[in-house]
Amino acid sequence: MVRVETPISYIAKRWTPSVRTAKRAALAAVVMSVFIIVTGGAVRLTGSGLGCDTWPKCTDDSLFATPEQGLHGAIEFGNRMLTYVLSAAVGWAIVAARSVKPRRRGLTRLAWSQFWLVMGNAVIGGITVWAGLNPWSVAGHFLLANCLLTVAVLTWVRIGEGDGTPRPRAPRPVRRLSWALVATTAVLIVLGTTVTGSGKHAGDSSDVPRMPWDWSAAAHVHAVAAWAVCVLALALWFALRVVDAPTDTRARARDLLIVLVAQGGIGYVQYFNDVPEILVGLHMLGSALLWIAVLRVLLSLRERPAAQAAVPAPPAAPLPEHAPAG
């Protein structure tokens, strides 16, 4: 059976990136994942969600935005074009992960999963347009973008690690506390979609259906979850100091607290000022940075050394020869 060589395997045979280069490639995917979340929010906040009438074309007759669609069409079409930039960043991360020597199949699969998430979210984005910005599909579009961000961060961190068995860097109760923080933050992000889905920023100037509950009540529930995240983050920071955790782990816990304070401040200011668009956009950026900070704290609580290659047993020493009799 003849094995066909793909372009990526061709490159991998002839290029071996340094760890720094591979990490930069993975970081580019992280940055673009954050950027696509923020620009997607900008589309919604400018009322440009239906700036392109359909999908995958912008109109029934044109792949591109037309002058008749005005600024809203340009904004929506521009955000669609950013998907290609995101795909290029993810592609670079895939090539870099595949080219690392020795070959790391788990890392390559992790990088490739970003590609499928990008493709899947593009389809959901198209369904969202077809559904007239249904708030449930809009929420799914945002949450899948956060799944992409999660995998991008995992790829970025894993490139700098080995493939050995993970070793804990903190006691089990502390690690469990970090997982509770991750789960609560995930709930917080999901609840954020219920606030947006029932609020004033429908994404289009026309009547768009909203989630069937009171926006203010949803915002209060979201705030309760935010306070729970703050308590867990503070408890984790304190616990890491008590157990004398590694310096880098404590620094990441400190950075998480800083992001939380900034994000909480923006959230309360926007709530009491009728959620102005610019603050909502900053809050979406803060949401992505908060999730990255939480993941980095979690991942810093274990280390994965390079897998140890099996060392062959030394050859048996030859038996001494008996001296001849005589």
Side-chain angles (χ1 to χ4, degrees):
M1 180 178 177
V2 179
R3 187 172 184 178
V4 178
E5 187 173 48
T6 66
I8 293 179
S9 63
Y10 178 86
I11 295 172
K13 281 184 177 180
R14 293 157 177 82
W15 178 53
T16 301
S18 65
V19 173
R20 176 178 294 183
T21 299
K23 285 193 67 113
R24 285 176 177 172
L27 181 58
V30 174
V31 172
M32 278 307 305
S33 298
V34 174
F35 192 61
I36 207 73
I37 289 174
V38 175
T39 56
V43 171
R44 184 186 188 95
L45 295 170
T46 57
S48 305
L50 295 177
C52 286
D53 305 328
T54 187
W55 183 88
K57 293 183 177 181
C58 199
T59 71
D60 291 333
D61 302 317
S62 175
L63 179 64
F64 307 99
T66 62
E68 291 76 17
Q69 291 173 303
L71 180 61
H72 292 316
I75 292 174
E76 165 63 5
F77 183 73
N79 186 64
R80 292 186 183 187
M81 291 299 99
L82 284 174
T83 301
Y84 294 100
V85 182
L86 172 63
S87 298
V90 168
W92 185 27
I94 292 171
V95 171
R98 174 63 179 83
S99 301
V100 168
K101 307 293 188 305
R103 184 176 179 183
R104 301 172 60 185
R105 296 182 184 276
L107 181 63
T108 304
R109 286 193 291 267
L110 196 60
W112 264 109
S113 63
Q114 295 180 58
F115 171 79
W116 298 114
L117 284 168
V118 171
M119 296 300 101
N121 213 15
V123 173
I124 291 181
I127 293 173
T128 300
V129 173
W130 291 344
L133 299 185
N134 180 283
W136 299 100
S137 61
V138 171
H141 193 46
F142 173 75
L143 293 176
L144 197 57
N146 277 273
C147 290
L148 170 62
L149 178 60
T150 302
V151 178
V153 171
L154 289 175
T155 306
W156 176 42
V157 173
R158 288 288 291 114
I159 284 179
E161 299 178 326
D163 290 323
T165 303
R167 296 197 300 234
R169 303 177 75 203
R172 178 174 295 180
V174 177
R175 301 198 307 274
R176 287 180 174 175
L177 181 60
S178 70
W179 276 109
L181 174 62
V182 170
T184 307
T185 305
V187 171
L188 173 67
I189 293 172
V190 172
L191 289 174
T193 66
T194 69
V195 179
T196 303
S198 59
K200 60 181 287 188
H201 298 296
D204 187 63
S205 57
S206 59
D207 291 332
V208 172
R210 314 305 294 137
M211 290 181 177
W213 46 68
D214 179 67
W215 170 80
S216 181
H220 280 87
V221 173
H222 181 62
V224 171
W227 277 110
V229 169
C230 290
V231 170
L232 288 171
L234 190 60
L236 180 60
W237 173 80
F238 181 74
L240 290 171
R241 293 181 63 86
V242 169
V243 301
D244 196 23
T247 303
D248 62 309
T249 300
R250 284 184 286 161
R252 289 177 185 177
R254 178 204 61 209
D255 294 343
L256 171 60
L257 290 176
I258 294 172
V259 173
L260 270 172
V261 170
Q263 178 74 336
I266 293 172
Y268 275 104
V269 171
Q270 70 171 2
Y271 177 81
F272 290 110
N273 288 275
D274 198 28
V275 285
E277 287 81 357
I278 184 64
L279 290 183
V280 176
L282 288 175
H283 200 57
M284 292 186 69
L285 172 61
S287 172
L289 297 179
L290 171 62
W291 185 234
I292 292 173
V294 168
L295 290 175
R296 294 191 73 203
V297 171
L298 174 71
L299 294 172
S300 71
L301 290 174
R302 92 284 184 275
E303 59 184 357
R304 299 189 66 161
Q308 296 294 324
V311 179
L319 295 174
E321 297 182 1
H322 293 288

